Amino acid sequence: MVSIVVPVYNAAKYLEECIASVFSQSFDDWELILVDDGSSDGSGLIIDRMAEADPRVKAIHRANGGMSAARNTGIAAARGEFMYFLDADDVLHPDALKLLFKAFENEGVGMAIGGAVIGKSCRFKKSNGCDFIIMSPEDAIADSLYQKNILHAPWGKIYRRKLMEKVGFTDGLCYEDLDFFYRYCLLCDKVAYTPASLYFYRQHAESVMHVWKPRRLDVLAVVDDIERYMEQNHPSLAGAARDRKLSANFNIFLLATRYGQADVASRCWEVVKKYRYASLIDSNVRVKNKLGILLSYFGRRFFSAIALR
């Protein structure tokens, strides 16, 4: 019924806990596709051992190509009608698949989205079921771009494989999840969302999101593309796209300032000045963002001093 794809890169420290959470699912009609993306820490040996022990587990080894390439490899190998992505250092709630599948009882649902616990240790509450909000794809995209409830991350969601095969992930792109989410969403007739915490996202220092790397700048190209696409094809979402662009530039500005990337910081600050007023008067923009915008009017140096404390 569902193909669970886990891209694996040097995740030996957490991988067995991740896989155990799949075996603990109360829904058992699944196959597990573990894609080793050129690991050098013994992750490959772990997934081979798991595949030898259970016929539902498939181990795939490939040269390192990044998260998108690993996920695309998993999509190509999948046999299930539905798909689910799980990161190798994360954990599923025992009832995650069972509860998310209930969303597809609503005709036309193309994606079921669950909430997540984010932290350093896994703590799930016992589930007594969950209620779904059925949304149009446009409303789901707006919610995600305004960064309200729906996370754009690939994990924690059930997809229809026939739709997934039409989009896939852009190889070599950092922030491939932000690029992917709206493109998949627009293929759906309806999107189902529940705030119930059905996924544990592990925060740790090794994450690329916690360090400065040049590829972090990919997000600026992604949000530019989203803005362009929405202005041309979905004008009602243009405001949400511009707010997401503003948020990305705020984020990269602070990172660039912290790590001494003066030219990058200056470019981002110019975008902030251009876009901030529109978001300030947009009633859909979250309060956190508006507070940041107000601080920015005191000047670049003041904003940096406050935000980087």
Side-chain angles (χ1 to χ4, degrees), residues 116-127:
V117 176
I118 299 175
K120 295 182 179 180
S121 60
C122 180
R123 295 178 182 176
F124 285 123
K125 294 180 180 179
K126 184 177 180 180
S127 175

Side-chain angles (χ1 to χ4, degrees), residues 259-307:
Y259 290 97
Q261 305 293 317
D263 289 346
V264 173
S266 294
R267 292 201 306 271
C268 290
W269 190 253
E270 290 305 310
V271 174
V272 166
K273 291 193 296 183
K274 179 180 178 180
Y275 282 75
R276 61 189 174 184
Y277 180 71
S279 282
L280 184 62
I281 63 173
D282 185 340
S283 61
N284 290 303
V285 173
R286 57 183 182 166
V287 173
K288 175 184 175 181
N289 287 25
K290 291 192 176 189
L291 290 174
I293 291 169
L294 290 172
L295 283 175
S296 75
Y297 279 103
F298 287 92
R300 174 176 172 174
R301 186 173 299 177
F302 178 83
F303 177 81
S304 299
I306 297 298

Side-chain angles (χ1 to χ4, degrees), residues 123-170:
R123 295 178 182 176
F124 285 123
K125 294 180 180 179
K126 184 177 180 180
S127 175
N128 294 315
C130 60
D131 295 320
F132 286 94
I133 301 168
I134 306 300
M135 314 169 74
S136 69
E138 291 80 9
D139 285 346
I141 292 170
D143 186 284
S144 176
L145 291 176
Y146 279 122
Q147 301 173 84
K148 293 183 175 181
N149 300 300
I150 296 176
L151 301 173
H152 58 255
W155 45 257
K157 304 170 176 66
I158 292 182
Y159 307 86
R160 292 189 183 273
R161 183 163 63 93
K162 65 180 181 181
L163 298 181
M164 176 66 64
E165 290 171 343
K166 295 180 180 181
V167 285
F169 296 89
T170 303

Side-chain angles (χ1 to χ4, degrees), residues 8-153:
V8 179
Y9 180 70
N10 290 346
K13 182 178 180 181
Y14 307 108
L15 185 54
E16 293 192 35
E17 182 184 7
C18 170
I19 294 172
S21 75
V22 175
F23 279 93
S24 297
Q25 288 298 295
S26 54
F27 176 94
D28 61 5
D29 190 1
W30 50 261
E31 66 171 352
L32 177 60
I33 302 172
L34 301 165
V35 183
D36 174 25
D37 191 40
S39 297
S40 58
D41 69 340
S43 293
L45 296 175
I46 294 173
I47 72 169
D48 283 341
R49 188 173 74 247
M50 295 295 180
E52 290 171 3
D54 194 303
R56 296 173 296 175
V57 180
K58 181 184 296 184
I60 299 175
H61 300 272
R62 51 163 292 131
N64 180 254
M67 189 73 81
S68 293
R71 289 195 181 109
N72 287 336
T73 296
I75 293 169
R79 298 174 297 171
E81 181 182 351
F82 296 89
M83 298 202 67
Y84 187 97
F85 295 103
L86 171 62
D87 284 359
D89 50 358
D90 296 343
V91 177
L92 284 180
H93 186 289
D95 294 325
L97 297 181
K98 181 180 74 172
L99 293 175
L100 284 176
F101 261 112
K102 290 186 177 299
F104 292 95
E105 295 172 0
N106 295 277
E107 186 176 353
V109 167
M111 173 167 52
I113 303 170
V117 176
I118 299 175
K120 295 182 179 180
S121 60
C122 180
R123 295 178 182 176
F124 285 123
K125 294 180 180 179
K126 184 177 180 180
S127 175
N128 294 315
C130 60
D131 295 320
F132 286 94
I133 301 168
I134 306 300
M135 314 169 74
S136 69
E138 291 80 9
D139 285 346
I141 292 170
D143 186 284
S144 176
L145 291 176
Y146 279 122
Q147 301 173 84
K148 293 183 175 181
N149 300 300
I150 296 176
L151 301 173
H152 58 255

